[in-house]
Amino acid sequence: MRHSRRPAARSLALVVVAGGVLAGCASTSGSGATLSDSDVAGEWSQVDAEPRVYLELGEDGALTGSDGCNQLSGTWQVDGTEVDFSELAATMMACDDVDTWLSGAESATIDGSEMTVLGEGDQEIGTLEKSE
């Protein structure tokens, strides 16, 4: 008795195709998806930070915010899968017991409602959540 291999081959092909489709839907930090300005514009903040740590990214490319101590200003633009921050300036207040990590932001990646902020050498320095 001879068995046909076609049904098995079709099943294997369907599994491979389905796996590829599902893998394409997977999302990870810095997922590699091209960003649009609307993905980025808005307020991003560090949840439960006191004092408040946030970035406000305007639709016009303007950036304002606070690292919890100093006021921040600058510009932003989408560069494919990343957000580049430029002309970032901060006031120079001395604040005891405040980690001013956000003033070292150079770029960021976005995955859904989470922004991973990168500093010198593309090192992760913190995360912010998009405010609704």
Side-chain angles (χ1 to χ4, degrees):
M1 182 192 240
R2 208 170 152 175
H3 295 283
S4 172
R5 292 189 176 172
R6 286 187 182 198
R10 276 191 210 133
S11 295
L12 178 60
L14 286 173
V15 168
V16 170
V17 168
V21 168
L22 291 174
C25 295
S27 179
T28 60
S29 182
S31 64
T34 301
L35 296 170
S36 69
D37 289 355
S38 63
D39 294 327
V40 180
E43 185 174 300
W44 299 82
S45 61
Q46 188 176 28
V47 178
D48 299 327
E50 188 58 45
R52 189 166 173 245
V53 175
Y54 73 96
L55 288 178
E56 179 71 37
L57 304 178
E59 292 180 12
D60 61 354
L63 173 155
T64 58
S66 174
D67 63 10
C69 177
N70 296 291
Q71 296 301 305
L72 305 173
S73 64
T75 61
W76 67 273
Q77 68 179 15
V78 171
D79 184 11
T81 61
E82 285 192 358
V83 180
D84 288 332
F85 302 124
S86 57
E87 302 174 17
L88 192 62
T91 57
M92 300 299 287
M93 302 287 291
C95 298
D96 293 333
D97 300 323
V98 176
D99 182 0
T100 58
W101 63 270
L102 190 54
S103 61
E106 292 186 3
S107 63
T109 59
I110 294 177
D111 184 22
S113 63
E114 181 176 271
M115 174 185 286
T116 300
V117 181
L118 308 172
E120 188 175 333
D122 285 337
Q123 294 296 309
E124 181 179 332
I125 58 174
T127 59
L128 301 171
E129 296 289 324
K130 191 158 192 178
S131 303
E132 294 295 323

